[in-house]
Amino acid sequence: VDAILFPTATDTAPVQGSNNGLSAYVNDVMTVSANMAGIPAISVPFGLCEGMPLGLQIAAQYGDDDLVLRIARHLESQPA
């Protein structure tokens, strides 16, 4: 496996002005594993759900930063 793609968050982006600290904390849980493992990861916009943006996270092995960036660049260049 060269890279793993998975959701950036457990839900869509929060509505502007909403202030639910627990919800924001739980939404960040998907990014913790890459940070704790010290592996390269990036989040890119990947569509909408009920008008709210979704994020896709790309992670790879330690040292494969270029691969993560190439995949992100490719996904961002694709038409919606």
Side-chain angles (χ1 to χ4, degrees), residues 5 8 43-49 52-58 75-76 78:
L5 284 68
T8 300
S43 177
V44 294
F46 201 73
L48 300 172
C49 179
M52 298 301 289
L54 298 172
L56 179 69
Q57 189 171 189
I58 306 155
L75 290 174
E76 287 185 321
Q78 300 305 303

Side-chain angles (χ1 to χ4, degrees), residues 3-65:
I4 299 173
L5 284 68
F6 51 99
T8 300
T10 59
D11 203 354
T12 62
V15 175
Q16 186 174 2
S18 66
N19 188 15
N20 183 342
L22 179 60
S23 176
Y25 174 78
V26 170
N27 239 352
D28 286 342
V29 75
M30 301 299 281
T31 61
V32 172
S33 58
N35 291 324
M36 295 296 288
I39 59 174
I42 191 169
S43 177
V44 294
F46 201 73
L48 300 172
C49 179
E50 297 178 7
M52 298 301 289
L54 298 172
L56 179 69
Q57 189 171 189
I58 306 155
Q61 294 182 40
Y62 180 80
D64 278 347
D65 305 58

